[in-house]
Amino acid sequence: MRNWKFNHIDFSTYPNYEANDLGVFWAPEKTTIKIWAPTAKIVELRLYKDGVGGEAYHKTNLQQFESGVWSTVLTGDYEGRFYTFRVNDGEWLDEVPGIYSRCVGANGLRGMIYNPNKTNPENWINDFGPRYKSFTDTVLYETHVRDFSIAENSGIENKGKFLGFTEIGTKTAEGIKTGIDHLKELGITHVHLLPVNDFVTVDEEKPLEKYNWGYDPQHFNALEGSYSSNPYDGSVRILEFKKLVKALHDNGIGVILDVVFNHTYYAKESVFNQIVPGYFYRQKPDGTFANASGCGNEIASERSMVRRYIINTLKYWVEEFHVDGFRFDLMGILDTKTMMEIRSELSKIDPGLFMYGEGWAADQSPMAEESRAVKQNTSQLLGIASFNDDFRDALKGNHGDKKSKGFVSGLVLREEAIKFGISGAVYHPQVNSAYIESVSFHWAAEPNQCINYVSCHDNYTLWDKLKLSLPKASDEELRRRVKLAGALVLTSQGVPLLHAGVDFCRSKNGNGNSYKSPDSVNQIDWDRKNTYIDVFVYFQKLIKLRKTHPAFRMADAEQIRKHLNFCTKYQIGVVSYCLHGKTVGDSWDHIIVMFNGNENEVEITLPEGNYQVIANANDINEEGLGSSVKDEIIVEPLSMLILVRK
């Protein structure tokens, strides 16, 4: 029996291969095959007529070349045929499609030889996504392909599929816009999709029997078949995903992919270990798999061919699918050198590609923290952002504790952490990190390195968290708190991210970890948009306000330090500040923003001048709300107030 311990191996001695031609590539007259398997003694290729079932109709051995590469050429047209590899490194490993498969059959069991020219939608050559002067100009909207359209009330025909994003004119029975029309109506700039690459735990032949978010990767270069109309033909999922991208691009919306390069679902049985045992994973001193992911293994991003694999995979998604950026799951497991090489290589293709990730790990790693892309090292990772979980927890309480509270749920003495989020996690002389429980220093060098959010796919939705921590709160009170949270996220410096449906009080019925819960829990209930239309309209106006006024999205940390001033007297449960808009290109010269997290109204003394109320707890109007004010003002409970000096 194979010993899956690797402390006797020096992986740095494995040869590098620098050409970018690994994989299976079709042409009408031949198919070229190359894989990197430096420890192999025999590499066998098997061909099949179908992606599932049946016996191999042809077997041949690859020839060994330099730098650990094995290769062969199949003469003739093999389009539509399926393949696997078997490696013998002294004993036979399992049959797999290999590391570089870009097109696979049902459940990723076999790779498929395909003609990529047939997977392009009409006018694909002219497809491109939106680009902005600064990443702080973006508004991200995180959703799951299946959640977005699977509900009966979505009005979308291709429920739970890539094509659900291509349908226009979809509505609920009450006539409320859904789908892509909802995204346009709300005004977001980018859709952030939970993993769309091939994952394990949903049976593509029976896709509705199980649910998963997709953080259980199998193939990193191939798409998930349960989101396609035909999981048996791998080229269909490619075409349909490109149609998704093009539909969003045609409507001015970018596409961010959630990528999971920190672990694989299988460890010993993974495609990596069945081709090059041990190399793609970090090990503990005893040779067993390290587990900073909490999922049984962690990818060894620092090894040269692993780093090359990750970079080439990301390049493929950009060049083949025209995606606009990436969100890195558990980015804190990946090494900083790899992350900076990713930024450098992708910037050569398009400097406008946005990159951000979770600056933490789920468990201990054998790699030292100072060498990994954790949040504390964000300032070193220029052009890469981290999630501001300090702001998230300050807003609503600890993400995993359903009873804990934050600023928007009535917990006072969190004002300094709120100021930290407002200033985009960059150094600001008026923010004292000594009073912030979760952070000891300002970890972002620039505001485009800070992703501000109050909720996302994991843990409780904002609505559920507020309801659980405030069980006696009325529906109306909860609405006010959701609006207050949205106002804080969407007016703060940095980059805002919204969890899909937060704009109409999405609920998962109190489920705090719905990664494999059924559609009844995870689906977006579009009828709630009608029920909570006032919340939706408020979010819509907040986004418009942010997009119209650059004072809320400064691109430079020095601008924030100079032109954002916490200008009013401190009160418990209140955060307020002044913005000097004209100096950063805004049409408004002097802006005051106030947040009252208390359940009672507060009185705030104003700087000298006459001011127009622009926003309050329930409305936003750039032309003004009511008469002008001066000297002092009353701020309602649980509300934002924005004033502009006349």
Side-chain angles (χ1 to χ4, degrees):
M1 180 175 290
R2 179 177 292 272
N3 179 4
W4 288 95
K5 291 187 177 183
F6 300 94
N7 50 337
H8 60 291
I9 295 176
D10 180 3
F11 288 113
S12 67
T13 63
Y14 283 30
N16 290 327
Y17 181 71
E18 297 191 1
N20 295 324
D21 59 354
L22 295 173
V24 176
F25 299 96
W26 170 90
E29 69 283 355
K30 64 180 180 180
T31 293
T32 305
I33 300 168
K34 286 186 179 181
I35 71 168
W36 184 73
T39 60
K41 301 181 184 302
I42 304 170
V43 179
E44 180 187 70
L45 172 72
R46 296 183 174 193
L47 295 179
Y48 295 85
K49 292 182 179 179
D50 299 301
V52 292
E55 297 294 325
Y57 72 87
H58 180 71
K59 299 178 184 179
T60 187
N61 288 343
L62 276 61
Q63 300 300 306
Q64 187 173 16
F65 290 87
E66 61 181 1
S67 302
V69 172
W70 296 72
S71 179
T72 193
V73 174
L74 302 175
T75 303
D77 188 351
Y78 282 81
E79 182 182 357
R81 298 302 187 186
F82 294 84
Y83 65 87
T84 60
F85 299 101
R86 279 199 84 192
V87 166
N88 187 314
D89 64 349
E91 57 183 294
W92 285 105
L93 291 153
D94 294 342
E95 186 176 1
V96 292
I99 296 168
Y100 307 97
S101 297
R102 294 178 170 183
C103 185
V104 295
N107 293 316
L109 299 176
R110 295 169 186 165
M112 179 179 167
I113 301 170
Y114 74 111
N115 177 356
N117 298 319
K118 292 183 179 179
T119 65
N120 293 336
E122 186 178 352
N123 203 29
W124 182 244
I125 193 171
N126 294 317
D127 173 75
F128 55 89
R131 292 295 179 269
Y132 295 90
K133 186 176 179 180
S134 170
F135 295 135
T136 57
D137 295 337
T138 64
V139 180
L140 308 169
Y141 197 75
E142 183 211 51
T143 193
H144 180 274
V145 170
R146 186 155 147 179
D147 295 356
F148 189 68
S149 57
I150 197 70
E152 193 60 38
N153 58 23
S154 71
I156 295 171
E157 182 179 347
N158 292 282
K159 296 185 186 302
K161 306 297 183 184
F162 292 136
L163 293 178
F165 283 83
T166 68
E167 300 178 36
I168 59 174
T170 60
K171 297 179 180 180
T172 66
E174 291 81 14
I176 297 294
K177 291 180 180 179
T178 66
I180 199 169
D181 288 356
H182 165 79
L183 300 175
K184 288 177 64 180
E185 184 182 29
L186 182 58
I188 55 93
T189 67
H190 289 72
V191 167
H192 159 156
L193 295 174
L194 268 64
V196 297
N197 62 285
D198 186 56
F199 55 86
V200 177
T201 53
V202 172
D203 185 347
E204 294 176 1
E205 296 186 274
K206 302 171 185 176
L208 296 181
E209 288 190 358
K210 284 188 177 181
Y211 175 96
N212 206 281
W213 283 337
Y215 295 97
D216 50 342
Q218 180 168 231
H219 298 295
F220 288 95
N221 288 271
L223 284 154
E224 168 60 22
S226 67
Y227 298 151
S228 76
S229 63
N230 179 3
Y232 299 99
D233 183 344
S235 63
V236 171
R237 62 185 81 178
I238 297 174
L239 172 61
E240 291 178 349
F241 182 69
K242 287 180 178 178
K243 287 182 176 180
L244 173 153
V245 172
K246 189 172 188 304
L248 287 166
H249 284 174
D250 287 349
N251 285 279
I253 299 170
V255 179
I256 305 289
L257 295 191
D258 202 327
V259 289
V260 192
F261 286 113
N262 63 83
H263 78 283
T264 55
Y265 178 75
Y266 294 119
K268 297 174 184 178
E269 304 89 346
S270 76
V271 291
F272 293 131
N273 272 329
Q274 298 306 314
I275 299 293
V276 194
Y279 181 82
F280 281 79
Y281 299 92
R282 290 190 191 128
Q283 287 83 24
K284 300 175 186 176
D286 66 358
T288 60
F289 295 116
N291 187 28
S293 69
C295 299
N297 58 81
E298 63 182 276
I299 298 294
S301 59
E302 70 279 8
R303 294 176 188 161
S304 59
M305 288 300 287
V306 181
R307 180 178 292 146
R308 180 174 296 279
Y309 175 84
I310 293 172
I311 291 171
N312 286 343
T313 296
L314 294 171
K315 283 182 175 180
Y316 170 66
W317 286 105
V318 170
E319 294 172 339
E320 185 68 20
F321 295 99
H322 303 177
V323 300
D324 306 290
F326 300 96
R327 178 266 193 191
F328 292 83
D329 184 61
L330 293 183
M331 183 174 71
I333 292 176
L334 305 179
D335 68 286
T336 54
K337 184 178 178 181
T338 292
M339 290 306 303
M340 287 312 299
E341 284 200 25
I342 290 170
R343 177 73 270 179
S344 176
E345 289 299 309
L346 291 185
S347 290
K348 291 175 185 177
I349 301 172
D350 182 353
L353 296 166
F354 192 19
M355 293 170 49
Y356 55 97
E358 292 179 304
W360 51 79
D363 208 335
Q364 296 298 311
S365 173
M367 174 172 276
E369 190 171 89
E370 57 264 27
S371 300
R372 292 186 279 114
V374 293
K375 186 177 58 179
Q376 289 79 0
N377 296 330
T378 302
S379 60
Q380 305 171 30
L381 304 172
L382 295 181
I384 301 173
S386 292
F387 280 92
N388 190 354
D389 58 331
D390 307 297
F391 193 39
R392 176 200 65 191
D393 288 357
L395 286 169
K396 68 174 184 180
N398 181 275
H399 63 281
D401 181 353
K402 64 183 179 182
K403 293 184 179 181
S404 66
K405 298 178 182 179
F407 182 83
V408 302
S409 43
L411 183 65
V412 297
L413 302 180
R414 289 296 178 271
E415 295 82 22
E416 215 65 24
I418 298 301
K419 289 165 63 179
F420 178 81
I422 286 170
S423 55
V426 303
Y427 168 71
H428 192 289
Q430 291 178 289
V431 179
N432 189 341
S433 58
Y435 290 99
I436 305 174
E437 184 178 346
S438 61
V439 64
S440 58
F441 62 96
H442 300 77
W443 43 259
E446 296 295 340
N448 66 11
Q449 292 185 292
C450 171
I451 304 294
N452 278 331
Y453 69 119
V454 68
S455 58
C456 63
H457 66 277
D458 50 5
N459 312 118
Y460 302 102
T461 68
L462 174 60
W463 179 265
D464 289 345
K465 183 68 164 66
L466 291 172
K467 201 168 183 179
L468 289 164
S469 62
L470 298 163
K472 296 181 180 180
S474 66
D475 186 86
E476 179 57 35
E477 179 186 328
L478 293 174
R479 291 178 194 233
R480 290 177 71 92
R481 295 184 189 276
V482 170
K483 290 176 184 177
L484 178 58
L488 276 154
V489 168
L490 287 163
T491 59
S492 292
Q493 306 302 319
V495 180
L497 177 140
L498 303 176
H499 180 218
V502 69
D503 45 308
F504 47 89
C505 304
R506 181 178 180 181
S507 174
K508 294 184 182 179
N509 302 318
N511 190 316
N513 189 20
S514 66
Y515 76 100
K516 61 178 182 179
S517 300
D519 290 317
S520 58
V521 171
N522 283 293
Q523 66 187 1
I524 294 177
D525 179 1
W526 290 98
D527 285 342
R528 289 180 74 89
K529 184 179 174 184
N530 187 50
T531 303
Y532 297 97
I533 193 67
D534 60 310
V535 178
F536 169 77
V537 171
Y538 197 70
F539 272 74
Q540 182 187 44
K541 290 182 177 182
L542 283 166
I543 292 171
K544 183 180 179 183
L545 181 76
R546 182 181 184 88
K547 292 166 81 171
T548 305
H549 293 279
F552 296 110
R553 45 184 173 83
M554 293 182 229
D556 180 78
E558 193 58 35
Q559 285 184 332
I560 294 172
R561 287 187 280 271
K562 285 182 178 180
H563 306 304
L564 190 159
N565 176 33
F566 295 95
C567 57
T568 65
K569 184 180 179 181
Y570 170 73
Q571 295 186 54
I572 291 177
V574 177
V575 177
S576 59
Y577 60 96
C578 297
L579 292 166
H580 304 291
K582 282 281 181 69
T583 52
V584 293
D586 205 306
S587 59
W588 289 340
D589 184 19
H590 194 82
I591 309 162
I592 305 178
V593 187
M594 309 174 193
F595 299 100
N596 181 13
N598 295 292
E599 295 180 7
N600 54 280
E601 63 184 31
V602 296
E603 183 177 272
I604 295 180
T605 301
L606 302 176
E608 185 178 349
N610 291 314
Y611 295 87
Q612 183 69 56
V613 177
I614 298 299
N616 59 27
N618 294 304
D619 200 7
I620 300 170
N621 188 333
E622 293 192 31
E623 300 303 315
L625 299 168
S627 57
S628 63
V629 296
K630 65 177 182 177
D631 299 331
E632 56 192 24
I633 193 168
I634 301 296
V635 185
E636 295 178 63
L638 307 175
S639 71
M640 173 185 73
L641 194 66
I642 297 179
L643 307 178
V644 174
R645 188 160 65 189
K646 298 177 71 173

